[in-house]
Amino acid sequence: MNETLDTIDVSGVRLPARRERRPVSFFNLLVVSVGVSADAFAVSLSQGVRVKTRVFRDALIVALTFGLFQAAMPLVGYLLGAQFSFLIAPVDHWIAFGLLALIGGKMLWEAFRAHPDDVPTGRIRPRELLLLGIATSIDALAVGISFAFLDVDIVPAVVLIGVITFAVSFVGVALGHRVGTRFQKPAEIGGGLVLIGIGTKILLEHLLG
């Protein structure tokens, strides 16, 4: 790590040093919150495809899971600051890609192997949901690390990220359910492709960025 009076070089990314904290406006925090919640919204759509009954309950579970992860990860990143980012940064994109590709591939496999007479379970699997929560919130960890070098009131910031992610995830599940009940197999295939696509996007952004 090379440090000057103005910047700190962390894994090739130059961040403002602690002594020169830059204030972050509410508008900028809002933009960041919407940005980090985009992947959660897309994944929520794919999960909504699986919901057959008790839509409100499942939408609430998904929204709470994603909202909590998206709020917790920036807080963890903020507390860690730049201390351990060099350990996480080299592999975070591979972790996100691996989890999303694995779950997306499983969705595709289930969609293509399904027999017309099969009765869908309509269940959102808790283990998959937790993995998706981790995968979609890894970028939020990096956001939290950057917050450590900015003039940010961390508690309102993570609450804002969590609330916005909760809202867009809830809407995503509801929309996915409406599509899935009419076009179940194409929607499941689309959901699997979306997960793989998001993972690929995260990977390429880090490798080519």
Side-chain angles (χ1 to χ4, degrees):
M1 181 185 300
N2 298 320
E3 183 174 349
T4 68
L5 293 178
D6 299 320
T7 60
I8 297 175
D9 192 347
V10 181
S11 300
V13 179
R14 298 190 68 79
L15 301 172
R18 290 183 180 274
R19 70 186 63 185
E20 292 192 4
R21 290 173 177 263
R22 300 176 183 176
V24 179
S25 67
F26 175 80
F27 176 77
N28 286 335
L29 282 177
L30 187 62
V31 171
V32 169
S33 301
V34 173
V36 298
S37 68
D39 287 350
F41 173 73
V43 173
S44 297
L45 282 172
S46 71
Q47 292 302 295
V49 169
R50 295 179 168 182
V51 176
K52 301 299 181 287
T53 59
R54 294 181 291 187
V55 180
F56 180 85
R57 187 206 66 170
D58 286 348
L60 189 61
I61 291 173
V62 172
L64 281 173
T65 301
F66 287 175
L68 287 173
F69 270 104
Q70 289 282 12
M73 284 295 197
L75 181 59
V76 171
Y78 179 84
L79 295 175
L80 290 177
Q83 301 301 316
F84 302 103
S85 63
F86 67 93
L87 297 175
I88 302 169
V91 296
D92 60 354
H93 47 291
W94 286 106
I95 295 172
F97 171 74
L99 291 175
L100 291 169
L102 177 65
I103 298 171
K106 188 172 183 292
M107 285 185 67
L108 290 176
W109 181 75
E110 290 178 348
F112 282 112
R113 71 178 286 272
H115 189 274
D117 296 329
D118 286 347
V119 177
T121 62
R123 294 196 304 267
I124 293 179
R125 299 173 179 85
R127 183 181 300 177
E128 288 188 7
L129 188 59
L130 289 176
L131 291 176
L132 288 170
I134 295 171
T136 56
S137 61
I138 285 179
D139 281 352
L141 181 68
V143 169
I145 291 173
S146 70
F147 281 170
F149 300 94
L150 301 171
D151 185 10
V152 176
D153 194 343
I154 190 61
V155 174
V158 298
V159 168
L160 181 63
I161 292 173
V163 168
I164 289 179
T165 302
F166 173 89
V168 300
S169 298
F170 190 94
V171 172
V173 173
L175 291 176
H177 167 72
R178 292 184 64 87
V179 173
T181 54
R182 298 178 183 178
F183 309 101
Q184 180 184 341
K185 184 171 181 177
E188 287 180 343
I189 294 172
L193 292 174
V194 164
L195 296 187
I196 295 173
I198 292 173
T200 303
K201 176 181 73 72
I202 293 172
L203 182 62
L204 292 178
E205 284 177 349
H206 282 76
L207 293 179
L208 303 178

